[in-house]
Amino acid sequence: MVCIVDNHGIGIGDIQSCFNNCCGYQHINFPGTITIGYDGLYDLMTRIVDQLYGFGIRKFVFLNGHGGNTPVLQRVALELDERHAMGAILNWWLLAGELDPRWKGGHGGGEETAAMLAIDPSCVHMEYFMPFEPKDLSPDLTFAGSFNVNCNGVSVPVPRHVDRYSSCGWYGPDSPETATKEWGEEML
């Protein structure tokens, strides 16, 4: 979603995106994953932003639903800054955890499952649930997050495909088993 904001910070409209999870390279080893890649998302976002910029829009809010999109959105926002415009990025899953620490979650965990239960419960298939058992790189390089390993107490970025550290596809502090429709409704 791209929100259009006037010069006083008042929302004057929005454009609903027609795409989901565009940059999914880290998930590509899971069957059914489709990605348009960083270049594809960048091309799409810059075309949208450039056209809106041409209509005089100078403040944009990007509501992001996928971590793989973040580097592209950051690039678009930096390019807006060069043009004396502004691009703010709201990563919904991080924002939810900041609004209420009970909602802090991981990828495909309770937080995201609760949201889906509130939006469309028919999309949630708990019969396929698998527990998260993190895969370490080695005894000295242990799982510390989606792009990090712990090395002697220090978090070190080591980008890997999700299946390299999670055979089930979800990870984080909140098991999907904890999700409820009520949690999702309150959070959303």
Side-chain angles (χ1 to χ4, degrees):
M1 169 190 266
V2 179
C3 292
I4 305 168
V5 180
D6 72 9
N7 289 330
H8 304 289
I10 299 170
I12 57 174
D14 63 56
I15 298 171
Q16 297 290 328
S17 66
C18 57
F19 50 91
N20 293 309
N21 294 341
C22 292
C23 289
Y25 286 124
Q26 66 271 39
H27 302 283
I28 202 70
N29 293 331
F30 288 100
T33 299
I34 298 171
T35 179
I36 65 168
Y38 295 112
D39 292 340
L41 180 59
Y42 175 78
D43 290 344
L44 180 62
M45 293 306 298
T46 55
R47 285 179 187 262
I48 293 170
V49 166
D50 286 349
Q51 289 180 26
L52 294 172
Y53 187 91
F55 295 132
I57 305 301
R58 298 296 182 264
K59 295 180 181 177
F60 298 82
V61 177
F62 304 105
L63 179 58
N64 185 22
H66 183 61
N69 299 336
T70 304
V72 172
L73 295 175
Q74 289 172 332
R75 179 178 172 191
V76 171
L78 284 171
E79 291 174 359
L80 281 167
D81 183 62
E82 290 172 3
R83 297 160 73 178
H84 304 286
M86 180 189 72
I89 304 165
L90 299 178
N91 295 313
W92 89 265
W93 68 95
L94 296 176
L95 182 61
E98 289 181 24
L99 292 173
D100 188 327
R102 296 175 302 145
W103 300 339
K104 184 177 175 139
H107 179 271
E111 175 191 44
E112 291 185 346
T113 304
M116 286 308 305
L117 286 169
I119 294 167
D120 186 355
S122 71
C123 293
V124 178
H125 296 278
M126 289 306 294
E127 66 269 22
Y128 300 117
F129 170 78
M130 294 170 47
F132 172 55
E133 298 173 1
K135 300 177 190 176
D136 298 329
L137 277 177
S138 73
D140 297 323
L141 300 172
T142 58
F143 175 82
S146 59
F147 285 113
N148 296 311
V149 295
N150 183 344
C151 179
N152 296 324
V154 176
S155 184
V156 178
V158 180
R160 299 181 285 162
H161 290 281
V162 174
D163 67 315
R164 304 283 198 270
Y165 56 82
S166 172
S167 59
C168 61
W170 79 270
Y171 55 86
D174 58 331
S175 172
E177 292 178 306
T178 65
T180 65
K181 180 178 180 179
E182 294 75 25
W183 172 12
E185 289 171 347
E186 181 184 2
M187 182 174 53
L188 295 175

